Amino acid sequence: GSVILELSKEKPQERHLDRQAAQFGAAVAKVEAELSAQIRYLTQVATGQPHEGSSYAARKSCQLALNRLDYARRRLAELARTCELMLEQ
């Protein structure tokens, strides 16, 4: 707003205009950086990627452990059946 007021004067002060333009540019850059950070965060959340405050890594680790446990149980059951068949013969 102050840039427009300065430009409306008959003799605008170039230094003042440059300073105001630089401040505006810095404000735009800050807003852009913050928006980019929010977009990155929301992209991580929306795609299920681990992010700050996420329990994704812990849940995935737990699920993998449960899968390994289930696999071990099946293999042990198969081994027990094989041993029983061998003892019957």
Side-chain angles (χ1 to χ4, degrees), residues 12-26:
Q13 296 177 3
E14 286 187 35
R15 273 192 250 149
H16 186 65
L17 280 175
D18 290 341
R19 190 171 50 249
Q20 292 293 327
Q23 287 175 350
F24 180 74

Side-chain angles (χ1 to χ4, degrees), residues 43-72:
T43 299
Q44 289 175 334
V45 171
T47 59
Q49 296 175 15
H51 55 87
E52 187 178 322
S54 170
S55 61
Y56 174 81
R59 283 183 304 172
K60 185 172 183 176
S61 221
C62 182
Q63 186 61 49
L64 289 173
L66 290 172
N67 289 345
R68 288 190 301 269
L69 178 63
D70 187 45
Y71 177 75

Side-chain angles (χ1 to χ4, degrees), residues 62-88:
C62 182
Q63 186 61 49
L64 289 173
L66 290 172
N67 289 345
R68 288 190 301 269
L69 178 63
D70 187 45
Y71 177 75
R73 284 183 180 154
R74 283 190 312 232
R75 294 291 293 167
L76 286 172
E78 289 174 14
L79 182 60
R81 278 192 297 269
T82 302
C83 287
E84 288 173 7
L85 288 174
M86 289 179 74
L87 290 174
E88 288 177 5

Side-chain angles (χ1 to χ4, degrees), residues 26-47:
V28 168
K30 182 180 177 189
V31 169
E32 183 179 4
E34 290 175 8
L35 285 175
S36 293
Q38 285 294 316
I39 290 169
R40 276 193 306 278
Y41 172 76
L42 291 173
T43 299
Q44 289 175 334
V45 171
T47 59

